[in-house]
Amino acid sequence: MNSPDTSYTGRFAPTPSGPLHFGSLVAALASYLDARAAGGQWLVRMEDIDPPREQPGAADTILRALDAYGLHWDGPVMYQSNRSEAYRAALDELKQRELLYSCTCSRKKLTPYQGRYPGFCRHLSEIPQEPYSLRLKTPTRTVTFDDRIQGKQAFPLDEIGDSILLRKDGLFAYQLAVVIDDAEQGITDIVRGSDLLDSTPRQQYLRQLLDFSEPAYAHLPVILNDNGSKLSKQNHADALPLDNPLPLLVRALQALSQPVPESVYDLTVETLLQWSVDHWNIESIPSRMGIPLK
Ligand SMILES: [Zn+2]
């Protein structure tokens, strides 16, 4: 076997809050095909840093489903639950650089601001007695990037406000963990759902602060269910069946506007995936959100 091209490293990074569903299969398949078509590596990272949201056994169920669908990853799976030291070290560095501050605001107090933090605690000087989160001081600046599917993107950081990096309950924030781990795993290319498009400017800004290189991005259109809402574990999307992967692989390829070979049901999963790697064309994926499931 040829050694992989290390100039491309992609990843699939599920949260083990339930089994894989069709929407996550589409995201996994797209990032897998993009990596393999580039001759690159494809890694899996389990984003298990939020125990209250997780389901026991879901990480193993997800890995079994990836295997059943022929999406074989390279190297060991990274578990974010083992990465606290690295996250803590990054927080310490940012703290030393006076880029973090404590915030005691309740969810209720912030509700009217719809996700944009208005900076209430930015200028508090004492360490609070009550539980607090750590927020990142974020400047007035526009983050831009060129998305391979969505095109040119520009997000003014002041519309987002100061992100939480350490939660009030002591858990590390998703934004922090993703940035630290993408750097640790040498990720060069991120292919994921457009529901995460809003996270990208926060992550880009944090990457710049920590002097990490910026990956290329491709944000996939979100798969909707029959009611027109996003297919997700929260709205009880069906778990992928493990015994008959071909029909859903075909539907996933169609959702990505990729060709499907003739007599596809005579193929093995491995042969179909190799054919799909050879015919992968990210440019035919529509940028518009919300491909209907059927
Ligand atoms: Zn606050």
Side-chain angles (χ1 to χ4, degrees), residues 101-106 109-110 117 119-122 124 135:
Y101 64 91
S102 317
C103 167
T104 55
C105 296
S106 65
K109 183 174 176 187
L110 297 179
Y117 183 66
F120 291 133
C121 301
R122 234 184 179 193
L124 289 186
R135 287 188 184 269

Side-chain angles (χ1 to χ4, degrees), residues 12-219:
F12 177 59
T15 303
S17 54
L20 284 192
H21 55 77
F22 183 70
S24 41
L25 173 66
V26 170
L29 179 65
S31 79
Y32 173 89
L33 293 176
D34 199 55
R36 295 300 187 223
Q41 298 194 76
W42 189 64
L43 309 182
V44 169
R45 180 170 77 224
M46 216 41 85
E47 302 208 321
D48 56 347
I49 46 163
D50 193 353
R53 278 188 59 206
E54 287 155 27
Q55 198 184 81
D60 289 338
T61 307
I62 289 171
L63 295 177
R64 272 203 304 280
L66 290 175
D67 258 331
Y69 281 76
L71 304 174
H72 306 303
W73 57 92
D74 297 307
V77 174
M78 177 182 271
Y79 288 84
Q80 289 192 323
S81 52
N82 296 332
R83 300 271 303 144
S84 301
E85 253 174 69
Y87 307 148
R88 177 61 63 190
L91 285 178
D92 286 346
E93 185 197 326
L94 294 168
K95 208 185 264 179
Q96 271 186 351
R97 291 165 60 190
E98 301 187 345
L99 288 163
L100 301 183
Y101 64 91
S102 317
C103 167
T104 55
C105 296
S106 65
R107 188 167 296 195
K108 199 174 157 200
K109 183 174 176 187
L110 297 179
T111 304
Y113 303 94
Q114 299 182 336
R116 184 202 169 279
Y117 183 66
F120 291 133
C121 301
R122 234 184 179 193
H123 305 290
L124 289 186
S125 48
E126 318 91 81
I127 301 206
Q129 298 300 308
E130 58 207 288
Y132 57 90
S133 57
L134 288 178
R135 287 188 184 269
L136 178 67
K137 286 182 192 164
T138 305
T140 307
R141 188 202 292 177
T142 297
V143 166
T144 58
F145 60 94
D146 214 346
D147 189 276
R148 293 168 63 204
I149 297 171
Q150 307 296 330
K152 280 205 189 314
Q153 304 290 313
F155 291 88
L157 285 176
D158 57 332
E159 277 180 17
I160 297 167
D162 299 339
S163 307
I164 289 180
L165 297 190
L166 183 70
R167 289 164 32 175
K168 226 185 245 185
D169 56 11
L171 296 175
F172 298 103
Y174 162 76
Q175 309 292 358
L176 174 75
V178 165
V179 165
I180 304 297
D181 291 343
D182 282 340
E184 173 68 21
Q185 294 188 292
I187 302 301
T188 63
D189 284 74
I190 295 177
V191 179
R192 63 183 179 189
S194 289
D195 50 324
L196 290 167
L197 195 57
D198 285 357
S199 288
T200 302
R202 298 172 197 264
Q203 292 169 13
Q204 285 290 72
Y205 175 60
L206 197 47
R207 282 194 175 93
Q208 289 163 10
L209 284 180
L210 295 170
D211 213 12
F212 296 153
S213 53
E214 294 182 4
Y217 285 100
H219 285 91

Side-chain angles (χ1 to χ4, degrees), residues 175-287:
Q175 309 292 358
L176 174 75
V178 165
V179 165
I180 304 297
D181 291 343
D182 282 340
E184 173 68 21
Q185 294 188 292
I187 302 301
T188 63
D189 284 74
I190 295 177
V191 179
R192 63 183 179 189
S194 289
D195 50 324
L196 290 167
L197 195 57
D198 285 357
S199 288
T200 302
R202 298 172 197 264
Q203 292 169 13
Q204 285 290 72
Y205 175 60
L206 197 47
R207 282 194 175 93
Q208 289 163 10
L209 284 180
L210 295 170
D211 213 12
F212 296 153
S213 53
E214 294 182 4
Y217 285 100
H219 285 91
L220 303 162
V222 169
I223 308 295
L224 302 181
N225 66 17
D226 297 341
N227 307 323
S229 54
K230 190 200 152 200
L231 204 63
S232 71
K233 290 163 197 158
Q234 286 72 36
N235 55 35
H236 310 292
D238 295 337
L240 296 178
L242 299 191
D243 52 349
N244 185 22
L246 279 178
L248 284 184
L249 275 174
V250 168
R251 274 169 74 184
L253 286 168
Q254 289 166 339
L256 293 164
S257 301
Q258 300 300 304
V260 173
E262 276 176 47
S263 311
V264 62
Y265 293 107
D266 298 339
L267 301 181
T268 63
V269 165
E270 275 70 22
T271 323
L272 171 60
L273 287 178
Q274 187 52 55
W275 190 93
S276 300
V277 166
D278 296 340
H279 291 79
W280 174 244
N281 181 8
I282 202 167
E283 280 164 22
S284 45
I285 300 177
S287 63

